[in-house]
Amino acid sequence: MADEEDIILADLNDEELVEQMFDDLYDGLKEEIEESVNILLERGWQPYDILTKALVGGMTIVGNDFRDGILFVPEVLLAANAMKGGMFILKPLLAETGAPRVGKMVIGTVKGDIHDIGKNLVGMMMEGAGFEVVDLGINNAVDAYLDAIEAEQPDILGMSALLTTTMPYMKVVIDTLVEKGIRDDYIVLVGGAPLNEEFGKAIGADAYCRDAAVAVETAKTFVGRKHNQLAAG
Ligand code: B1M
C-alpha cells in the first residue's frame, strides 16, 4: 500500500479524492486540502458541493471524534485551519453570482464562544446569495451587536453559538432589543449545532436556521416579507 507521501491527489478519482480530503482534514493538512479543492474545481465541481460534501463532510467526522475524546483541541484547531484554507478559495466563487443586493445582515458568534467556522460559512453563503454581510467575528457581547446594528442598519441580525453554555446569551441580546423597543426593527435569525427550532422560538428569535442553506432561504423569505409589508404600508 502506498504511504501518505506517495499519494498524488490529482490521480485519484472524485470519490477517492473526497475520501482523501476527509483524511487530510482530519490530519489538519491545509496545503493538501487547498490542492484538492482546486482539483475539484478544475473538474467542474460546484463550489457549494465542494463545501458541503468534502469540507463539511470531513469536519463532521472530526466533530464526532472530538466528542468521543479521540481528538483533542490542538488537532481540531489544525483541522479547522485546514478547512478555512479550503473555504478561503471557495469564498469568492460562492459570492460570484453577481446578484443584486437583496438585503443586509450583521452576524457574529455570541459572548464566550470562539467557534466561527459555521458562522463564516453562513456569511459566505449569504454573500453568494446577494446579501451584504457585516461579520462581527467571535465572542460578541450585547453592546457589540447593538453598536453594529445602529451603525449598519441591517435587515437581519444573525447570531451563532456552538456551546450549550453560550446559546442562552442569544436571549440576553434579544431581550435587550425588546427593552430598547427596537426588536421588531430587525429580523433575528439564530443558528449553531446545539440549537433547535424550539429554542429559537423560546428566546424570541424569528427563526432557527439548521444550516447555511436554510439560513439563506429563511433570510430571503423574511426580507421579502418585510419589503412587501413596507410596500403595502
Ligand atoms: Co469546540 N465544541 N470547543 N472547538 N467544536 C463543539 C461545538 C462540541 C459539540 C464538540 C463535542 O464535544 N462534540 C463541544 C460543545 C459541547 C456542548 O456545548 N454541549 C465543543 C467544546 C466542548 C469546545 C471547548 C469547550 C473544548 C475545550 O476547550 N475543552 C472549546 C470552547 C471554546 C469556546 O468557544 N469558548 C472548544 C474549542 C474548539 C476549537 C477552538 C478547537 C474549534 C473551533 C475553531 C473555530 O471555529 N475557529 C472547535 C471545533 C472545530 C468544534 C467542532 C468539532 C466543529 C464545529 C464546526 O466548525 N462545525 C464541534 C463539534 C460539532 O459541532 N460537531 C465542537 C462545522 C460547521 C460548518 O458547523 O458550526 O454547526 P456548525 O455550523 C452550521 C450550522 O450549525 C449553522 O450553519 C452552519 C453551516 O451549515 N449555523 C448557523 C451556525 N451558526 C449559524 C448562525 C446562523 C445560522 C446558521 O445565523 C443566522
Side-chain angles (χ1 to χ4, degrees):
M1 216 174 106
D3 68 37
E4 190 76 16
E5 281 163 30
D6 293 326
I7 294 172
I8 297 173
L9 295 170
D11 287 350
L12 301 178
N13 68 31
D14 286 10
E15 201 181 321
E16 290 165 344
L17 186 58
V18 170
E19 281 292 325
Q20 186 60 41
M21 287 173 79
F22 289 175
D23 286 352
D24 289 343
L25 201 69
Y26 196 92
D27 295 334
L29 301 176
K30 187 177 176 194
E31 279 175 23
E32 282 77 356
I33 287 294
E34 289 167 345
E35 188 183 340
S36 298
V37 166
N38 283 324
I39 293 170
L40 289 177
L41 284 171
E42 277 161 25
R43 291 184 188 172
W45 275 53
Q46 291 301 314
Y48 179 70
D49 286 339
I50 301 175
L51 193 63
T52 51
K53 292 182 183 150
L55 297 181
V56 175
M59 206 61 197
T60 305
I61 301 171
V62 172
N64 290 344
D65 280 4
F66 187 34
R67 178 197 60 212
D68 297 341
I70 298 164
L71 287 181
F72 297 95
V73 171
E75 289 116 324
V76 178
L77 265 180
L78 281 176
N81 190 42
M83 171 137 183
K84 283 184 179 178
M87 281 165 63
F88 186 75
I89 298 171
L90 297 174
K91 183 175 174 171
L93 304 172
L94 287 164
E96 212 173 55
T97 58
R101 289 274 162 254
V102 288
K104 187 172 185 180
M105 176 172 80
V106 161
I107 188 167
T109 303
V110 296
K111 188 176 164 188
D113 200 321
I114 63 167
H115 295 86
D116 67 355
I117 296 176
K119 166 189 69 62
N120 295 348
L121 206 55
V122 172
M124 279 164 54
M125 297 278 296
M126 292 286 290
E127 281 178 355
F131 284 85
E132 184 181 348
V133 175
V134 179
D135 187 344
L136 304 182
I138 54 172
N139 194 22
N140 284 287
V142 68
D143 283 348
Y145 289 109
L146 290 178
D147 291 350
I149 57 178
E150 194 186 337
E152 303 291 344
Q153 291 299 315
D155 302 286
I156 302 167
L157 172 62
M159 289 187 277
S160 180
L162 264 288
L163 299 172
T164 45
T165 50
T166 57
M167 57 191 241
Y169 195 78
M170 292 173 163
K171 183 166 179 340
V172 175
V173 177
I174 294 175
D175 286 351
T176 309
L177 295 179
V178 172
E179 271 164 33
K180 293 192 171 294
I182 55 172
R183 166 65 187 89
D184 294 337
D185 297 348
Y186 306 99
I187 298 157
V188 179
L189 303 182
V190 294
L195 280 64
N196 57 32
E197 209 153 330
E198 204 183 345
F199 175 79
K201 278 204 188 99
I203 63 168
D206 288 295
Y208 153 73
C209 308
R210 190 182 63 242
D211 58 30
V214 170
V216 168
E217 286 317 309
T218 311
K220 281 187 188 161
T221 306
F222 274 92
V223 169
R225 219 181 272 168
K226 183 177 160 186
H227 289 170
N228 286 342
Q229 275 166 3
L230 288 175

